[in-house]
Amino acid sequence: MLPGLSSRHQSCTPFQGPGGSVDLSRFSLIEALIVMAIVGTLAAVAIGSYARWRASSTVMEAAQQFSQAVTTTRTGAKSTNTCWQIRLSAPLASATSYEIRHFPDETCTGTPTQEQTHALPRGTVIRLTGASSAGTNNVNFAPPYATTDPAPNTYLVQWSAAPSIRRTVRITSILGKVVVK
């Protein structure tokens, strides 16, 4: 027996209370490290999944925004009986915005009477792909039925940090039908 301690205190171990019962109010260092490792692993998986989901939903939002802009451009050309044009702000590279241009007559020549620039959601880019990417990136909607060029245009909307996250926007017919894939 150690001097100054009663027999009651000397019989205690780190995991037993004074009466020999197990004291559950304490954790060992190894138990705390195991819990921290499990929580850290779960957090790493959850943060990665959340970031990919967020990027995917932002790319979908950008594709839907551009698709709606094409539809709005076609509707504007029909309702005003003038030529309207939609085009990417950066013709041969990945653009972060697009322009809608209104012309004073039925041809898309001369100076537009109105130009509107629309930015895509942050972190997304859009570019023209396929055979049509060698030429101009303009899509003209001419009256009276707001038809467009006969060649279908295909646009690729991507997440700038991870190009594998993408959506395709395709203008499929001369009537300007838009398909987002």
Side-chain angles (χ1 to χ4, degrees), residues 10 49 94 111 130 135 141 143 181:
Q10 283 196 357
S49 295
S94 295
T111 305
F141 290 97
K181 201 160 79 164

Side-chain angles (χ1 to χ4, degrees), residues 101-168:
R101 303 168 74 188
H102 311 172
F103 290 87
D105 55 13
E106 296 177 359
T107 62
C108 288
T109 57
T111 305
T113 56
Q114 186 178 4
E115 291 185 47
Q116 299 170 339
T117 301
H118 301 274
L120 292 172
R122 186 174 171 202
T124 58
V125 294
I126 186 169
R127 65 183 172 89
L128 187 62
T129 62
S132 57
S133 64
T136 179
N137 71 359
N138 299 342
V139 179
N140 301 331
F141 290 97
Y145 303 110
T147 56
T148 185
D149 307 330
N153 290 339
T154 303
Y155 296 88
L156 190 63
V157 181
Q158 296 175 307
W159 186 248
S160 56
S164 63
I165 302 174
R166 60 180 164 209
R167 294 279 185 209
T168 303

Side-chain angles (χ1 to χ4, degrees), residues 43-65:
V45 170
I47 289 171
S49 295
Y50 174 75
R52 184 160 178 79
W53 169 80
R54 182 74 179 127
S56 179
S57 64
T58 304
V59 167
M60 186 61 173
E61 177 187 347
Q64 289 173 341
Q65 177 185 334

